Amino acid sequence: MIELRRLTKHYGDTVAVDGLSLTVADGELLVLLGGSGCGKTTTLKMINRLIEPTAGTVLVDGEDVARVPPPALRRHIGYAFQRVGLFPHMTVAENIAVTPSLLGWTAERIRQRVDELLGLVELDPATMRDRWPAELSGGQQQRVGVARALAAAPRIMLLDEPFGALDPLTRTRLQESFTRIRRDLGLTAVFVTHDMVEALLLADRIAVMNAGRLAQIGPPRELLQAPADDYVRQLMRTPERQAAIVDALLRDDRGS
């Protein structure tokens, strides 16, 4: 479905992404994991040409995306990100309808699609479609952002830390909702996060990036059991350390 061949991005003398090669299978969720500045968001944005690569190739369904006009490419690849980016002067329904309107859908088809998507992301169409973004909670805005990304029925979703700014309970609910939606729709997804636990919970495979390069790629269990280097090993130890701290607190509480 998606193939990156020696994908590279330079900003002057700075190498943001360095010869990255990987594939994402049809229906797979691949998590790009790593610390700030490792190149994961730059990689994500090169897939839909929000950023143009310095060298290398991105193929979607075997087609070089460099040969596809960026607006046409993006209309068929859903994109959701942390700050949502809802248009404040548009209602919820109008925000979701942006891409279908550009594609020339009829008003009735758009209305049906908006209501379908609001239901899919667990928002009531009757009460939500005419509300303004400023009237929504952070979690509701993020759900609308996911609905908007799905509006034109894309087969591919790109997600850049979409739940990172939310409180833990809302974040967990949205992770669960997205997992259900992705499986129901058979979406292929690339998901950027720096959160190790989120990566382990959501990913079919994890691609760990370090200084613009691919450190290791594989299923979560494989990375946990056989990290390729010290950097990956330290990342994989993060949830273990967190679990140990919680367990120690519980033991102290039981002993007091």
Side-chain angles (χ1 to χ4, degrees):
M1 174 64 77
I2 302 172
E3 183 178 359
L4 312 184
R5 295 180 178 172
R6 298 199 58 78
L7 198 61
T8 299
K9 181 63 181 179
H10 294 175
Y11 293 103
D13 294 332
T14 301
V15 181
V17 178
D18 189 4
L20 179 64
S21 296
L22 57 82
T23 59
V24 186
D26 189 14
E28 180 180 34
L29 190 152
L30 177 75
V31 168
L32 297 179
L33 176 69
S36 298
C38 72
K40 54 189 186 296
T41 292
T42 300
T43 298
L44 191 79
K45 290 183 175 180
M46 285 192 283
I47 294 173
N48 67 354
R49 296 189 63 187
L50 284 172
I51 294 175
E52 297 291 351
T54 304
T57 306
V58 177
L59 302 175
V60 174
D61 279 340
E63 183 176 18
D64 186 345
V65 301
R67 300 175 182 171
V68 183
L73 177 69
R74 292 171 200 149
R75 287 171 192 163
H76 299 285
I77 297 178
Y79 185 62
F81 49 98
Q82 182 173 326
R83 290 175 293 279
V84 187
L86 298 181
F87 298 112
H89 60 289
M90 292 183 177
T91 65
V92 165
E94 289 168 341
N95 266 281
I96 297 172
V98 167
T99 299
S101 297
L102 291 172
L103 293 173
W105 291 19
T106 66
E108 178 58 21
R109 185 183 177 191
I110 289 173
R111 187 193 66 77
Q112 291 178 356
R113 183 62 172 165
V114 167
D115 287 355
E116 175 189 1
L117 288 169
L118 285 172
L120 191 67
V121 298
E122 302 175 5
L123 294 174
D124 178 26
T127 59
M128 298 299 297
R129 63 180 353 267
D130 295 323
R131 294 180 68 178
W132 302 97
E135 299 174 327
L136 308 180
S137 68
Q140 289 171 333
Q141 289 185 25
Q142 203 65 63
R143 288 180 187 272
V144 173
V146 171
R148 183 176 65 181
L150 293 169
R155 294 175 58 207
I156 295 173
M157 282 278 286
L158 307 178
L159 303 104
D160 189 2
E161 305 208 40
F163 313 134
L166 301 174
D167 66 87
L169 291 178
T170 301
R171 184 174 188 172
T172 297
R173 286 197 298 269
L174 284 179
Q175 288 169 344
E176 292 169 350
S177 293
F178 176 70
T179 296
R180 173 184 54 79
I181 290 167
R182 185 184 72 84
R183 290 175 177 165
D184 288 349
L185 299 180
L187 294 171
T188 302
V190 182
F191 191 109
V192 164
T193 185
H194 65 271
D195 186 316
M196 186 63 237
V197 174
E198 183 170 63
L200 291 172
L201 291 174
L202 296 181
D204 294 313
R205 287 189 303 153
I206 298 172
V208 178
M209 296 185 66
N210 185 19
R213 295 184 178 182
L214 183 64
Q216 187 173 358
I217 185 168
R221 181 182 296 274
E222 179 180 311
L223 270 65
L224 284 165
Q225 294 180 341
D229 59 24
D230 286 341
Y231 179 74
V232 178
R233 186 174 296 106
Q234 288 299 315
L235 279 181
M236 295 301 118
R237 287 185 59 195
T238 300
E240 295 177 5
R241 289 194 297 266
Q242 293 172 339
I245 292 170
V246 172
D247 185 60
L249 290 170
L250 290 172
R251 287 199 307 270
D252 288 346
D253 184 60
R254 287 192 294 265
S256 62

